[in-house]
Amino acid sequence: MSLAQAIVLSSKDNVAVANGRIEPGTELPGGVKALSAIDPGHKVAILPIKAGEAVVKYAQAIGRATEDIAPGTHIHSHNLVFESGRMPVVPPSDPVQASDRDKARTFMGYRRADGRAGTRNFVGIIASVNCSTTVCRAIAERANRELLPEYPGIDGFVPIVHDQGCGMSGTGEGMQVLHRTLAGYARHPNFGGILMIGLGCEVNQLTLYGQKGIAAGKRHFNIQESGGSRKSVERAMGVLREICEEVGPLKREPIPVSEIVVGLQCGGSDGMSGITANPALGAAVDILAAGGGTGILSETTEIYGAEHLLASRATTPEVAAKLDGLIKWWEAHVQKHGASIDNNPSPGNKRGGLTTILEKSLGAVAKGGTAPLSGVYKFAEPITTPGFVYMDSPGYDPCSATGQIASGATMIVFTTGRGSVSGFKPSPCIKLATNNEMYQRMAEDMDINCGDIIDGVSIEAKGAEILEKVIAVASGQRTLSEELGFGGAEFVPWQIGAVM
């Protein structure tokens, strides 16, 4: 095996990362030899590390050694533990500048009445409460069967259903989060129209949703007032036909690429995520943000230990302080529930080589590139600042993506090393594979392979490829997750309040 199969990410690191399986005796960077077999994505010491010293990757501490570690030793959960610590930030290079060509580019999207730009033309059937979910699904299934063939300009009828809306306080943070989320979907530019269905007696009353197009009489109703489930489905079909007449004839038109809003996600991560797909996505975000577009990073429990890197890029002290406030809230939140933020990485992440949340976070923040951090937002809060921004969320992928879409993301780009297959209607989802082996094994699910970065493709070239894919998908090209029918079951609002 060649030295290329043990990657050193920074001159400050005391570990290398295996690209492919390393057998005992394999020569490593620095002239040391592997003392045991090392699986792909896992770490191996290239310098002596004493017990209690920091293990360093990405030029940052990812934890502390629990014992003396000799060069060539496999480093993982057996000899590395989480210990909160931050190392000095290496100042980033000058921000990427968009070319005149980048600034002038357009995509073919839908211009909505409120001025925003959509990448799809779905119709949403939104449940206000868990009690109306079955009826909403029945409405969507019938509409997709009977109405969709008549209106080829509509991408489909999407049920937005969930398990909340009652058994909770009508005030407080839990209801505020649910309301922001449902309102964000109801006004989402990828929905040409929506119909909202309630039961009638729930806490989350339809009258709480006063946005134009929701409270306009027949565009929302309750099952109890309509005479039950069957009559509600019949009533809905009449309303949906009226919506189809309005939005079915809409055509795509040229819209500046600066109006694309991308939610940045990673799931099923491995030891290669922070080396290939995540920084490549970051390179694409840098170009998009420089040209006035928007990239949304989230998953606060998965930036823990790397938040200081983001804060150092904040455009104002206020933006940095808001990010610090999110970290402090999460520290108190998990402690209150007897948990630890280092409960993450998941078992699958660990099999892929990730040992501590610090290591995972340092790779995860690479999705945000190097652009200035221009804003920090609550979960599902409307994004009003272009460029690279942050939205608070749990690390649970469906929940985090739900918040990003509610905040305005019209696209999701999702990096994965183990192989995630979900989608997130109404926003199309592009999947990026972090390694060649998984890409070949799951090629029907992966839109782009970033594993070839290890083979010599540059981060910059792969970032440009990703951005081209984003523009193509925004213009109507279907992603593989769309072709496979994913996206109708991944709406997961953050349930943060008390269930009573």
Side-chain angles (χ1 to χ4, degrees):
M1 290 190 175
S2 68
L3 293 181
Q5 289 184 289
I7 306 162
V8 180
L9 301 176
S10 168
S11 61
K12 298 180 181 295
D13 293 358
N14 52 21
V15 300
V17 180
N19 172 36
R21 181 176 170 85
I22 294 177
E23 299 296 340
T26 299
E27 187 176 351
L28 303 171
V32 302
K33 292 185 177 181
L35 300 179
S36 63
I38 311 293
D39 286 333
H42 284 247
K43 297 172 291 299
V44 57
I46 56 173
L47 294 171
I49 306 172
K50 293 182 179 180
E53 286 186 347
V55 175
V56 181
K57 180 182 174 184
Y58 304 112
Q60 292 288 320
I62 61 172
R64 300 284 171 179
T66 59
E67 60 189 29
D68 290 345
I69 299 175
T73 301
H74 177 216
I75 295 180
H76 200 31
S77 303
H78 60 286
N79 55 10
L80 170 64
V81 293
F82 167 83
E83 183 175 318
S84 182
R86 311 292 188 269
M87 294 180 70
V89 176
V90 177
S93 56
D94 293 335
V96 171
Q97 300 296 317
S99 67
D100 291 339
R101 174 183 175 273
D102 291 332
K103 293 177 181 178
R105 295 193 67 181
T106 61
F107 73 100
M108 297 300 292
Y110 294 98
R111 179 65 72 190
R112 300 304 183 191
D114 64 0
R116 293 189 299 164
T119 64
R120 292 293 183 268
N121 194 32
F122 284 110
V123 175
I125 297 93
I126 301 178
S128 68
V129 64
N130 65 297
C131 305
S132 61
T133 59
T134 299
V135 169
C136 286
R137 289 191 186 278
I139 293 168
E141 290 172 3
R142 182 168 168 183
N144 281 317
R145 185 174 63 249
E146 297 181 10
L147 293 179
L148 194 57
E150 298 182 36
Y151 299 94
I154 293 174
D155 289 308
F157 297 84
V158 182
I160 301 298
V161 298
H162 53 95
D163 63 355
Q164 298 185 45
C166 209
M168 60 191 299
S169 172
T171 60
E173 194 170 16
M175 178 57 76
Q176 291 170 8
V177 170
L178 178 61
H179 182 80
R180 281 202 308 269
T181 305
L182 292 178
Y185 271 68
R187 61 171 175 260
H188 197 277
N190 285 2
F191 281 134
I194 67 101
L195 169 62
M196 201 165 194
I197 306 292
L199 178 62
C201 56
E202 63 270 19
V203 172
N204 187 35
Q205 288 285 303
L206 292 178
T207 52
L208 297 173
Y209 297 83
Q211 299 89 345
K212 183 180 179 182
I214 303 174
K218 57 193 174 187
R219 297 296 168 87
H220 76 277
F221 60 80
N222 290 317
I223 296 168
Q224 292 168 345
E225 296 168 359
S226 298
S229 302
R230 185 186 61 80
K231 291 180 179 179
S232 293
V233 174
E234 293 294 337
R235 180 177 177 181
M237 292 299 290
V239 176
L240 291 179
R241 184 171 290 279
E242 292 182 3
I243 293 175
C244 290
E245 291 293 331
E246 295 173 7
V247 305
L250 297 177
K251 303 295 183 184
R252 291 181 179 271
E253 61 183 272
I255 296 174
V257 167
S258 60
E259 297 188 48
I260 294 177
V261 183
V262 179
L264 314 174
Q265 285 289 322
C266 59
S269 300
D270 67 353
M272 302 309 293
S273 295
I275 301 171
T276 60
N278 288 357
L281 177 53
V285 170
D286 282 345
I287 302 171
L288 181 66
T294 304
I296 309 171
L297 185 66
S298 297
E299 300 179 291
T300 311
T301 54
E302 293 185 9
I303 67 157
Y304 189 75
E307 75 283 348
H308 62 303
L309 304 179
L310 296 176
S312 71
R313 293 156 52 188
T315 54
T316 68
E318 290 76 18
V319 169
K322 288 182 71 173
L323 184 64
D324 183 61
L326 297 182
I327 295 295
K328 286 183 168 56
W329 183 93
W330 273 99
E331 288 176 331
H333 180 65
V334 298
Q335 184 179 25
K336 181 174 65 176
H337 293 281
S340 167
I341 293 181
D342 195 44
N343 185 53
N344 199 325
S346 70
N349 295 153
K350 291 186 176 182
R351 285 193 294 271
L354 298 175
T355 309
T356 68
I357 187 57
L358 303 179
E359 179 183 11
K360 186 176 183 180
S361 295
L362 289 164
V365 298
K367 299 193 302 293
T370 61
L373 178 66
S374 61
V376 173
Y377 294 87
K378 297 177 182 178
F379 183 90
E381 184 179 6
I383 303 297
T384 57
T385 307
F388 171 58
V389 301
Y390 190 84
M391 185 208 75
D392 184 30
S393 82
Y396 181 44
D397 305 324
C399 180
S400 180
T402 293
Q404 290 177 332
I405 293 169
S407 285
T410 54
M411 305 272 297
I412 299 291
V413 182
F414 194 116
T415 72
T416 180
R418 306 295 290 177
S420 296
V421 298
S422 52
F424 305 98
K425 291 179 180 176
S427 295
C429 178
I430 298 171
K431 291 287 173 44
L432 309 183
T434 72
N435 63 84
N436 293 327
E437 186 279 326
M438 187 274 287
Y439 176 75
Q440 293 164 2
R441 178 164 37 88
M442 298 183 64
E444 293 182 347
D445 293 275
M446 300 294 119
D447 295 283
I448 294 179
N449 178 31
C450 296
D452 55 8
I453 289 172
I454 298 300
D455 302 324
V457 176
S458 71
I459 294 289
E460 292 74 20
K462 187 60 65 171
E465 179 185 347
I466 293 168
L467 183 59
E468 291 304 315
K469 187 69 172 181
V470 166
I471 294 171
V473 171
S475 299
Q477 184 184 99
R478 287 164 64 86
T479 67
L480 291 178
S481 67
E482 287 182 295
E483 294 287 356
L484 291 168
F486 284 103
E490 289 89 348
F491 177 74
V492 183
W494 185 9
Q495 190 165 353
I496 194 172
V499 177
M500 295 178 287

